Each structure stands twice: as structure tokens, then as C-alpha cells.
Amino acid sequence: MPPHLSADHPAAQPPARGPVDALITQARQLKGDVDAVRRDTPGDGSDPQGRWQRALYDLAVHQLNDLDEHLAQLRDGPQPLPEAPGAAGPVPAARVVPTAPRRGSLLSRVGSAEWNLLTDEASWSGELYQILGRDPAADPLTLDELPSLVLDEDRPRLTAMVTDCLIDAKPIDGEFRILRPDGGVRTVHMMGEPVLDADGSTASMWAVLRDVSELRRSQRTVSETRDSLQRHRHHAQSERRLAVELQEAVLPPWRGSLRLPHQGPETLDLAAHYLPSSTSALIGGDWYDALELSDGDTLLSVGDLTGHGVTVTSDMAMLLGALRGMAVAGTQPGQLMSWLNQLLDATAQPALGSAVCCRYRPETRTLNWAQAGHPAPLLFRDGTGRVLTPPEGVLLGATSGAVYGQAEETLEPGDLLLLHTDGLVPGRREGTAVAHRLLELAPRFGAARTAQDCVRAVVEEFGETEREDDACVLIARVAP
């Protein structure tokens, strides 16, 4: 019974687009203005003040690009996962929402430095000391000493950037991680250029260094969350596929109408239907069954195990197989329920279930039935209906050694028997309220020609309504 999919959790919904769109527009306008000023700033190294200004403009553009990206994520919300082939839709889930970066992670700390290759002198801004965790009273590190702060695996990257800058006059634009004296690891983004002397050789190198640790951490969180959602989706799809295959393997293969027993005048016209949950993406433990027995009797049953997923479907398959086997061996409904209760009570995974089991003898048109905490069958005759008086019976798996009563009903030609599971009438849990809604269908049943027409009436009445749980209905009509 392929269920509908639940709506996304409210926490995963994107915020109102209007205000965020306005912020994105403002950020892009500002980025354009900064970029225009940056292009007009001299960058030939002749003016140290202009050089530092252009470096800060470069950094501002980087910052605004990051801000643009984050605002877009805020506006659009989590990106949708790709559809798997044959998937019924997005899996809701339970979803994990990425933790928002701390305030200040976008506008992170910025420091500057210049290394004079002729004098081997270095000068750092006070902010760079804070980024690297160095004592402001200490001398700044030379280019040869700077790699000592960098993690071993990132050191070759820094060395290559500096070498390319000093030898080939290439700009520096890259990241590396440093280990601070306090044990903290920070990610630093470095931008810089060589400063050439009159003969074109490299005289010094300047750089702007930015602590991007929080930004990269937030980006990793988004990436890891997306990967987690992808894995969860694949797991849910695999579990649902397995549950569906298991369910289809054990439930009756017939669709539409069925007549049992296959021979004889006193046959039952049978039809059944599933109504899926609209709030769960997993298969539940509902079942219906109709089986011709070796002595000519017909077995009718419906039931429901609590919960959803592969484990519940597996337990349902076990119960249904046991029910069929015991019925074929001649076990009467009351005793059959007692043994099913013992079987469910002995399972490794505690479970609860409800069921109703009927054994119909066509020669005498007698119906023997028992129930385990389940809605009683409804009997419709001559345009009216009533609820059969249920014999004693508690939920399967609720009490060890429970005793189940058995009732008998004599049917007449044209009678219609309706068996159903909880959840058939959405929003109604009280047995009397559910029965009342179903009994209101008596005139439509009286005018129907087949059991399939009656099932169609039930689906038309309740099938389109959102329901919290799966449900099924089985209708048996005594041949007139």
C-alpha cells in the first residue's frame, strides 16, 4: 500500500523571500561598487598605500561573495535531493537543519603582513598576531619561519604559493590551516602579491590574511547535512522497497473481485482495497486475507500490527502465514487467536496487533468468528446495517495466556459483510463513531450489484481524505 509522503517539517522551510531578496540585491550592488573602486586603485606596487587599499578591496569582494552565497541559501532553504528512479517522492523524513554560523563568521578577522626580501624584515598588523595566536610583543615570523605554524599536510600548499609568488610573480590566493599555541586549529585565507623593484626583481611580498574558520565550518556543516539527508533518503527508499516486496509476497495476489469457494451455489463475492497513510512514508502492518480451505470453508481475516517499516511488515507476514497454516489444519477462530497471541508474545521484538478472523461454511451459511481488540464486522441486510456483537478478545501481544471467545452468525442470501482495520474513517478513533459512518453507506450497498461496487463506494467516501494510518477494507457478499 504505497503511502503518500509527509510534508516537510516547518523548520526546513525557507524564510520569506521578499526581505532576503532585498538584502541580496543590496549586497550585489555594494559588491559592484567596491569592485569598480578596486579596478581604479593602482596595483603596480609603486604606491604602498594604494597597494594595501586594493588588497582590502579584494578582500571585501571575497566577503561580499560569501555573503551573497549565504543569503541565497537562507532564501532558498535546503537544496532538494535528487530523485531516485522509481521513487514516490521526497522522503520526509525527519530532517536535520544545519546550525547557523555564529555572528561574525562572515565578517571574519583580517590581518596584513609584508616581508622585505632585501632586508629579511617582516611587519605584521596587530590583528594578524591575534589570528595566529602570537604574542604581540614577539617579532613577526619571516617567510622561512611562517610554515612552522602550518599543519604538516597543508605546508606544501603554502610553500608552493610563496614560491610561485617570489619566483614567478604570481598572486597568492589560497588557504591553509594553522595550529595556534593554545592548541586551536584555524583556517586562514591568504591573498598577496610580489612587490617588484626598479629592475623587475622581487623586493618584497605583501599579503592580507583572513580567518575563515567559522565560514568553512558552516560550509562543512551544510555539506555534511546534505550527505546525511542523502544517506537517510537512500536508507528509507531501500527499507520501503523491501517492505513493499515482502508485503506483496505474502498478501493475496488477487485484485478486484474473487469468488470463494470456486465451486458450489453458496459462494461469497469478495473484494478488498488498501487506503494508504498520508503522513508516513513507510509501509504499515495492515493486512486482509481470503482463503478457500480444504473442507470447503472460506477464511476471512483482517488485521493490523502497530508501527511501520520492515520489522512490522515482517511480523505481519509471520502472523499471516501462521494464521493460514492453522486455519488449513482446522483450527477454529477462537483457538486460532489464542495461538496467534502466544506467537506474537514470544517474538524477540515486542509488538501489539489487532485482528478479526472469520470462518464461513457455505452449506449452512454460518459464520464463526473471533476478534482480538479489533473493530467488529458490520452486517448489511435489506438496505440496513448493524455491528455484530463481539466476543471476548484483547489485543494480540498484550497479555500472555489470553483467552478469546467465538461468536456465530447465520447469513442470508444477499447479505454483505464488511471487515476493516483502524484508520478507515480518518479522524475517528471511537468505534461507535466509525461504525456509524460506515453504516450510513447501507443504501449504497443495497443498490450495488457486486462486492467490488461496495468497495468502490467506501473508497469514494473515505479514500481521498488524509489519514494518519494505513487502512484496508474487505467486503464479502453472499450470493443471492
Side-chain angles (χ1 to χ4, degrees), residues 149-427:
L149 300 179
V150 181
L151 297 186
D152 292 344
E153 52 267 39
D154 292 356
R155 199 170 294 157
R157 185 182 308 128
L158 173 63
T159 300
M161 288 191 300
V162 172
T163 301
D164 289 343
C165 179
L166 298 180
I167 296 178
D168 299 328
K170 292 182 178 180
I172 291 177
D173 189 350
E175 294 182 6
F176 51 87
R177 291 166 298 167
I178 63 164
L179 178 64
R180 291 162 51 102
D182 59 8
V185 176
R186 309 298 292 178
T187 301
V188 176
H189 181 255
M190 184 176 183
M191 297 174 57
E193 290 184 358
V195 179
L196 306 181
D197 58 16
D199 62 3
S201 58
T202 303
S204 63
M205 189 187 84
W206 60 265
V208 174
L209 294 95
R210 171 188 171 204
D211 185 347
V212 294
S213 303
E214 298 302 329
L215 175 61
R216 298 299 175 251
R217 184 176 294 114
S218 69
Q219 291 173 337
R220 286 195 301 272
T221 300
V222 171
S223 177
E224 291 168 0
T225 301
R226 181 178 175 82
D227 291 344
S228 176
L229 289 172
Q230 185 76 58
R231 290 192 298 271
H232 178 78
R233 177 187 176 87
H234 288 164
H235 175 76
Q237 289 172 343
S238 299
E239 182 175 350
R240 183 180 183 279
R241 183 168 55 252
L242 178 59
V244 169
E245 292 173 353
L246 180 60
Q247 186 185 65
E248 291 178 346
V250 298
L251 291 184
W254 51 274
R255 297 292 183 268
S257 297
L258 176 71
R259 299 184 72 88
L260 292 179
H262 295 293
Q263 297 179 350
E266 303 295 339
T267 59
L268 291 178
D269 177 23
L270 300 165
H273 190 77
Y274 275 108
L275 295 110
S277 165
S278 58
T279 61
S280 175
L282 297 177
I283 298 297
D286 292 64
W287 85 80
Y288 68 87
D289 195 25
L291 181 68
E292 181 178 358
L293 303 176
S294 57
D295 60 1
D297 289 359
T298 298
L299 175 71
L300 304 175
S301 70
V302 297
D304 179 18
L305 287 182
T306 58
H308 296 83
V310 173
T311 300
V312 172
T313 309
S314 177
D315 287 343
M316 178 271 290
M318 175 192 66
L319 281 185
L320 187 53
L323 186 153
R324 290 169 174 170
M326 289 186 287
V328 168
T331 307
Q332 293 301 306
Q335 182 62 59
L336 193 152
M337 287 296 180
S338 296
W339 286 346
L340 285 182
N341 180 65
Q342 293 182 26
L343 179 62
L344 195 60
D345 186 54
T347 57
Q349 295 284 347
L352 290 175
S354 67
V356 60
C357 178
C358 307
R359 192 176 183 116
Y360 176 71
R361 175 150 294 180
E363 293 86 353
T364 59
R365 293 196 296 274
T366 54
L367 184 80
N368 289 296
W369 69 284
Q371 63 85 29
H374 199 87
L378 279 63
L379 178 61
F380 295 85
R381 178 180 296 166
D382 299 329
T384 62
R386 64 183 176 90
V387 181
L388 297 185
T389 303
E392 179 184 4
V394 298
L395 287 172
L396 298 174
T399 305
S400 299
V403 176
Y404 294 84
Q406 184 170 300
E408 181 177 307
E409 189 77 26
T410 301
L411 305 183
E412 298 180 2
D415 281 358
L416 186 143
L417 193 69
L418 187 151
L419 285 66
H420 68 93
T421 60
D422 286 334
L424 180 62
V425 180

Side-chain angles (χ1 to χ4, degrees), residues 429-443:
R429 289 298 178 185
E430 303 83 0
T432 55
V434 173
H436 178 73
R437 288 289 307 277
L438 291 170
L439 292 174
E440 289 178 344
L441 297 176

